[in-house]
Amino acid sequence: MELDKLKSTWDQSSTGKKSQNELLIMTKVKNHPTIKKMKLKFLIEAILLVVFIALYYDGFDGETKPLWANVLLIGATSLYIFVRFVGWLVLRNPINGDNLKQSLLNFQSKLKQITIAIVLTSFLFGCAVISFFSSSIDFTKEKYTAFAFMLFSLILLVYLSSRNWNKRISKIKTNLKEFESPVGQ
């Protein structure tokens, strides 16, 4: 009986007509709040890192550090910004396939690649910062302890970032599994 009632309700419901423009605006990925937050986060990170690179030489005595530490810091920071920008572009346009399932498969593949790149550049950037600041230090036991704590913190933060990205990928896997289950289950 419930099925007949559901059919009756469905038949009696009016179909809301949407214009092509309304549908286009509703489905624009760039209007998604998560994408907007990611864009804002990326812009803030990029601006702060550019300011850091512009001021690090005078502000953190870059002239007293070895050349390799300066080059590593600038290179790692530039790579960090570049990979975040590419990741933002990929996430901004997830629709890339003939149908929804194919788009999700393609997006999952791209997300895995971006995750690896983001995690590696985060680790490289953290190592570059630690190397830069510790490159001209005479180490004592206490300084080695502080250095070990910084490395542990870096590894922990990279792990948490990796876990966060893997959760995003697992949500897509869950959505893909829904395509494989029969309708009505």
Side-chain angles (χ1 to χ4, degrees):
M1 282 205 188
E2 286 185 30
L3 183 60
D4 292 333
K5 185 177 179 182
L6 183 62
K7 283 181 184 179
S8 172
T9 306
W10 177 264
D11 290 337
Q12 292 173 2
S13 67
S14 64
T15 56
K17 304 246 185 219
K18 300 282 184 192
S19 71
Q20 199 68 5
N21 285 338
E22 287 176 312
L23 291 174
L24 189 61
I25 289 171
M26 289 170 58
T27 59
K28 282 278 187 193
V29 175
K30 71 178 184 180
N31 293 330
H32 197 281
T34 303
I35 300 296
K36 287 181 180 181
K37 287 178 188 176
M38 288 174 53
K39 181 180 178 182
L40 180 63
K41 181 180 180 265
F42 167 73
L43 287 173
I44 291 170
E45 277 183 354
I47 289 169
L48 290 175
L49 288 172
V50 167
V51 168
F52 172 71
I53 289 299
L55 300 176
Y56 90 96
Y57 196 76
D58 291 330
F60 297 111
D61 299 327
E63 69 275 355
T64 64
K65 309 291 184 193
L67 178 63
W68 65 266
N70 285 288
V71 170
L72 181 64
L73 184 65
I74 292 171
T77 304
S78 301
L79 189 61
Y80 183 89
I81 292 171
F82 176 75
V83 167
R84 293 303 181 288
F85 179 71
V86 170
W88 175 71
L89 288 177
V90 167
L91 293 176
R92 190 170 173 237
N93 189 18
I95 301 169
N96 187 11
D98 295 334
N99 55 43
L100 187 56
K101 183 177 180 180
Q102 190 60 45
S103 286
L104 279 173
L105 283 169
N106 294 341
F107 186 62
Q108 179 186 13
S109 175
K110 285 181 183 179
L111 199 57
K112 285 179 181 179
Q113 294 169 354
I114 290 297
T115 297
I116 292 168
I118 285 176
V119 169
L120 286 176
T121 56
S122 295
F123 185 71
L124 178 64
F125 175 69
C127 287
V129 169
I130 291 170
S131 297
F132 177 79
F133 286 110
S134 65
S135 64
S136 61
I137 293 177
D138 293 326
F139 280 96
T140 62
K141 187 176 180 177
E142 292 81 17
K143 290 178 183 175
Y144 275 120
T145 304
F147 184 76
F149 179 74
M150 286 188 291
L151 283 177
F152 174 75
S153 298
L154 172 63
I155 291 168
L156 179 65
L157 290 173
V158 168
Y159 167 75
L160 292 174
S161 174
S162 173
R163 198 174 81 175
N164 188 22
W165 282 100
N166 286 330
K167 282 182 183 178
R168 292 174 181 150
I169 292 171
S170 69
K171 285 181 184 177
I172 293 173
K173 285 181 184 177
T174 302
N175 290 337
L176 282 169
K177 285 180 184 176
E178 290 177 9
F179 279 105
E180 296 168 5
S181 66
V183 177
Q185 286 188 356

